[in-house]
Amino acid sequence: MTKGYLILETGEVFSGTLIGSEKDSTGEVVFNTSMTGYQEIMSDPSYAGQIIVFCYPLIGNYGFNPAGYEGDALHLKGVIMGEACNLPNHYSSEEATHQLLYKLGIAGLADVDTRELVKTIRHHGTVKGFITKDPHHIFVEKEETNWVDVVSTKEQKLYSGYGPHIALIDFGFKKSILNALLKEGCQVTLMPYYTSFGEVQKLNPDGIVFSNGPGNPKTLNARLPEYKKMAETYPSLGICLGHQLLALAFGADTTKLLFGHRGGNHPVKDLKTGKVFITSQNHSYVVSESSIKTNTFKVTHRNINDQTIEGLAHQNLPILSVQFHPEAHPGPEDTHYLFQQFLQNIKEKSGVMSYAIK
């Protein structure tokens, strides 16, 4: 067992036991409050470039299985946990946490006082950190990376279906978003984030989904005019980063939260019905309240805890966007109805449909 350390840019040092790769690793340190779903969380491309701190004290007790991954690879920079279970007990498990991290060359640190670490992050806000064997290592900040460019598909991929044809713009999509669309019978074409409006026109989809993804949405400012033309032409649904990008494209602004929303237990209120849903979330940035033009967007959902914007609808166009994850995984599926609402928008715009909406 090798002693390891997490060194924060603010000077704090947390000790633990290295698991997985023993190579030094730098990333933005964030925490997730979910009690289950560590495999889906670790494989979510939205965590690219980050070091995840799990609040739940035991990670790995049911192992890792082939069906539980949300991406084709793990893009996170490290994992911090209280206790790592080395002997998982589940019929579908193929490997334990330390085995997976070692195989993929990802740094992990167990036996850490995660309660104190999370308190530190909440105090300072999201900070950069460094996992290392050397407790005297001097933190050096790395250059910013365009993580969307790292995780997005590089070529179009078609998934067959009998229903409406959806262009899924990939900023780091979770497989559960694709599965939710396929479950509704949609034909889906996965497209790179740098896809032009002209390329979408050639495809002539019935609607567009702007996916989740990692990093600061303003990294993609140069692409916003293309996204705006897409959303002005086709019924659109934005999820997480996709929500932020649609807001930016129509003139709103985004701002960074102190330590973000990450977990499967965030209460969100639907302002139309007054109903509160428990949602899955993973983001650092939100749409700024003061930047919303009321003649462009209306706020449809709010976070109960801090009143931040969780959903928008365009006043004149069939555009919906939400900050949370209606496909969940991990977390509750309370808000899956938003996919049906998106498909209803497609139906109303087309006037006639040769396919059925479930």
Side-chain angles (χ1 to χ4, degrees):
M1 305 294 280
T2 304
K3 192 80 170 178
Y5 304 88
L6 172 68
I7 301 174
L8 301 181
E9 62 179 329
T10 47
E12 292 88 351
V13 179
F14 293 84
S15 63
T17 304
L18 285 170
I19 60 175
S21 171
E22 295 188 3
K23 294 180 180 179
D24 292 349
S25 184
T26 304
E28 185 180 48
V29 184
V30 300
F31 63 87
N32 188 296
T33 60
S34 292
M35 298 176 66
T36 61
Y38 54 80
Q39 180 175 355
E40 291 89 342
I41 292 166
M42 289 168 61
S43 59
D44 180 350
S46 294
Y47 283 105
Q50 296 180 327
I51 296 173
I52 303 174
V53 181
F54 284 105
C55 295
Y56 195 70
L58 177 65
I59 299 299
N61 54 308
Y62 52 87
F64 291 79
N65 68 83
Y69 293 100
E70 287 293 337
D72 292 328
L74 271 62
H75 297 283
L76 74 170
K77 302 297 287 186
V79 186
I80 310 289
M81 62 197 76
E83 180 182 351
C85 177
N86 293 328
L87 294 173
N89 184 11
H90 194 276
Y91 72 93
S92 66
S93 174
E94 292 193 346
E95 53 195 340
T97 307
H98 67 289
Q99 294 170 323
L100 177 74
L101 294 177
Y102 180 80
K103 179 179 74 175
L104 299 180
I106 297 171
L109 197 60
D111 305 320
V112 176
D113 185 349
T114 52
R115 287 173 62 88
E116 186 63 30
L117 175 53
V118 170
K119 284 171 60 180
T120 301
I121 298 171
R122 287 176 62 91
H123 173 71
H124 291 300
T126 301
V127 295
K128 297 287 182 65
F130 196 86
I131 298 176
T132 180
K133 291 186 287 187
D134 179 8
H136 304 295
H137 182 93
I138 298 175
F139 181 88
V140 178
E141 188 169 353
K142 302 289 186 180
E143 291 185 7
E144 291 293 331
T145 300
N146 180 356
W147 288 107
V148 170
D149 189 59
V150 173
V151 302
S152 177
T153 184
K154 301 300 184 287
E155 58 184 18
Q156 290 188 22
K157 299 177 184 178
L158 177 64
Y159 299 85
S160 61
Y162 57 82
H165 187 188
I166 307 301
L168 176 55
I169 308 299
D170 178 21
F171 303 104
F173 84 107
K174 288 170 59 184
K175 289 182 178 179
S176 290
I177 293 176
L178 172 63
N179 292 337
L181 294 170
L182 295 176
K183 185 178 179 181
E184 295 298 328
C186 299
Q187 176 182 337
V188 180
T189 298
L190 184 68
M191 308 185 81
Y193 79 97
Y194 48 78
T195 297
S196 68
F197 174 60
E199 290 172 305
V200 171
Q201 280 185 304
K202 291 177 183 177
L203 189 69
N204 193 28
D206 297 297
I208 300 179
V209 172
F210 296 84
S211 84
N212 63 294
N216 185 342
K218 291 180 181 177
T219 302
L220 301 178
N221 273 348
R223 307 295 312 165
L224 295 179
E226 296 294 299
Y227 303 150
K228 184 178 182 181
K229 285 187 282 188
M230 294 177 196
E232 288 175 330
T233 307
Y234 305 98
S236 297
L237 171 64
I239 297 174
C240 201
L241 179 62
H243 156 79
Q244 297 161 11
L245 289 168
L246 284 173
L248 288 171
F250 283 87
D253 195 12
T254 56
T255 185
K256 192 172 186 179
L257 294 168
L258 184 63
F259 45 78
H261 297 158
R262 294 177 180 86
N265 53 356
H266 290 262
V268 168
K269 185 175 183 178
D270 184 325
L271 300 183
K272 182 177 180 179
T273 64
K275 187 172 182 179
V276 175
F277 299 93
I278 303 301
T279 67
S280 176
Q281 303 203 11
N282 171 21
H283 60 99
S284 292
Y285 296 83
V286 291
V287 177
S288 173
E289 181 85 29
S290 61
S291 72
I292 295 294
K293 299 175 183 177
T294 55
N295 63 340
T296 303
F297 283 116
K298 62 180 176 181
V299 178
T300 59
H301 297 77
R302 281 198 184 278
N303 189 294
I304 293 295
N305 292 334
D306 61 12
Q307 296 301 305
T308 51
I309 293 173
E310 292 280 357
L312 294 170
H314 197 279
Q315 295 283 16
N316 304 306
L317 298 169
I319 301 172
L320 303 172
S321 67
V322 288
Q323 185 61 78
F324 51 90
H325 284 260
E327 82 289 348
H329 295 273
E333 298 181 339
D334 297 21
T335 54
H336 180 83
Y337 72 91
L338 289 162
F339 288 105
Q340 276 109 19
Q341 191 173 339
F342 166 57
L343 295 179
Q344 183 63 31
N345 283 350
I346 292 175
K347 177 181 179 181
E348 291 174 359
K349 180 164 184 179
S350 64
V352 178
M353 289 196 343
S354 59
Y355 44 80
I357 294 178
K358 291 186 177 181

